[in-house]
Amino acid sequence: MIRTLAKRAAVVAAASAVTVTMLAGTASANTQVGYVGDHQANNWTAVWCVQHDINHFAQNSWYPHIDEDGYWGPKTKNAVVWFQGRLISGAKYADGIVGPRTGDLLLGYGDEDQDAKCRAALPTSS
């Protein structure tokens, strides 16, 4: 009987750990924010995160540094197109708009120190 109770307790503990982990993971993602780019209701933080993460990704390449000013413009859009072209196969996806797919990549390849701030501001798939 003690073994049965120990097994049940272990199952409950494991299920609780999985539930907490799943809730913690989804709480940090933001699937509710809008796309970032031309003709979007861009917020300063989201645009800054795009600029910052692209600069972080491009630091060892020949791509020029872009200003991290939080304003969407042609240089930021071109940097997004460049970033998408490097990481998303198929030229049709390099549209210069940050949706969930590009947001996931920015967070994956960007500056980990800014993840909490940027995860709340950028669109993600999960």
Side-chain angles (χ1 to χ4, degrees):
M1 181 162 163
I2 293 175
R3 287 184 185 173
T4 303
L5 288 176
K7 287 180 183 177
R8 287 183 183 168
V11 169
V12 169
S16 297
V18 168
T19 301
V20 168
T21 302
M22 288 174 52
L23 290 174
T26 57
S28 63
N30 197 342
T31 59
Q32 304 302 313
V33 298
Y35 287 27
V36 181
D38 292 343
H39 312 295
Q40 309 298 322
N42 298 318
N43 70 54
W44 184 91
T45 303
V47 175
W48 180 88
C49 287
V50 169
Q51 294 165 335
H52 182 75
D53 282 345
I54 287 175
N55 282 336
H56 183 82
F57 175 77
Q59 65 188 356
N60 294 322
S61 73
W62 292 103
Y63 196 83
H65 179 87
I66 56 172
D67 290 338
E68 295 177 17
D69 58 9
Y71 295 101
W72 185 266
K75 289 182 182 179
T76 301
K77 180 177 181 169
N78 290 338
V80 171
V81 169
W82 172 83
F83 178 80
Q84 291 170 324
R86 296 299 173 278
L87 296 174
I88 302 175
S89 61
K92 66 182 178 179
Y93 296 111
D95 59 3
I97 304 295
V98 179
R101 188 175 193 183
T102 303
D104 288 340
L105 290 170
L106 284 167
L107 292 169
Y109 289 95
D111 183 1
E112 292 177 4
D113 292 338
Q114 299 297 326
D115 266 0
K117 175 182 182 178
C118 293
R119 192 165 285 283
L122 294 176
T124 59
S125 62
S126 60

